[in-house]
Structures are given as C-alpha cells and as structure tokens.
Amino acid sequence: MAGPRLPRSASLNDRLRSTLMGGVVLLSNGVASLDDDAKRRLLAAVRTFEAFSPDNDPYGEHDFGAVEIGGEAVSCSKIDYHDRSLTVSFARQKPIPRRRRAC
C-alpha cells in the first residue's frame, strides 16, 4: 500500500517477511516437500516481495504475498497473529500483546 504512513503491523510484517526473523516461520507440506533449491528460490521471492497494492493488500498490513517462481504463480506468504502457544489466532482488529508471527 502506497503512502507515507504504514500501519505498525505492516512494518512488523515487512521485517518478518524480509528477514525471516521476529516470528515463527512455518512451511506447508507442499513447500516442505520441495527440493532445497526450490525452497531457497521460493523463500528468496517471499523475502523480496514488495508488490503491495490496494487490490492485494486492502488493509495495508503487508500480511499476504503471491510470488512467481519459474513462471508459475504461487500464493505462499501469509502472516498471521497467534498467542505464544500458536493455538489461538487473533482477529485483525484486536490489539495483540507480545505478538508472534508465522510466515
């Protein structure tokens, strides 16, 4: 989302996505089953994704990304907020103390 001020969640999500630090990174079974080179390419694409727009990021939180790998579109980056046990997912509107993020 363009603009001078991004929501704090967008800044935190950008940090997690670009560094893979500051949260918990989980891989789907499909991604985990890829060979190491494919996983490296996919994570590199997620880390450098910046094509946010009102169409794909209506709340300006930078919490989802679809990337292209080898000419194929892959919807693979989703950041959610959970409690520390990763058993409770929080709604977007609720303040979340001590956030953990999963990508």
Side-chain angles (χ1 to χ4, degrees):
M1 175 177 232
R5 274 194 74 179
L6 291 175
R8 177 158 166 70
S9 58
S11 297
L12 294 170
N13 292 342
D14 287 345
R15 184 176 137 232
L16 172 61
R17 190 187 61 262
S18 65
T19 66
L20 302 181
M21 294 170 43
V24 177
V25 176
L26 305 173
L27 302 178
S28 69
N29 289 338
V31 171
S33 70
L34 296 172
D35 64 57
D36 289 344
D37 183 57
K39 281 188 264 198
R40 270 192 289 278
R41 289 184 289 128
L42 182 61
L43 289 173
V46 167
R47 291 177 74 173
T48 59
F49 180 84
E50 294 182 352
F52 295 104
S53 71
D55 289 334
N56 67 18
D57 189 28
Y59 298 102
E61 293 185 340
H62 296 188
D63 61 347
F64 176 79
V67 298
E68 191 171 296
I69 303 293
E72 185 176 334
V74 180
S75 297
C76 67
S77 171
K78 178 68 178 112
I79 299 174
D80 290 314
Y81 305 99
H82 298 273
D83 67 348
R84 289 195 176 272
S85 69
L86 300 178
T87 59
V88 177
S89 179
F90 294 94
R92 179 184 338 267
Q93 294 81 11
K94 294 181 182 177
I96 304 160
R98 298 186 179 182
R99 296 181 192 170
R100 281 202 135 174
R101 298 179 180 350
C103 178

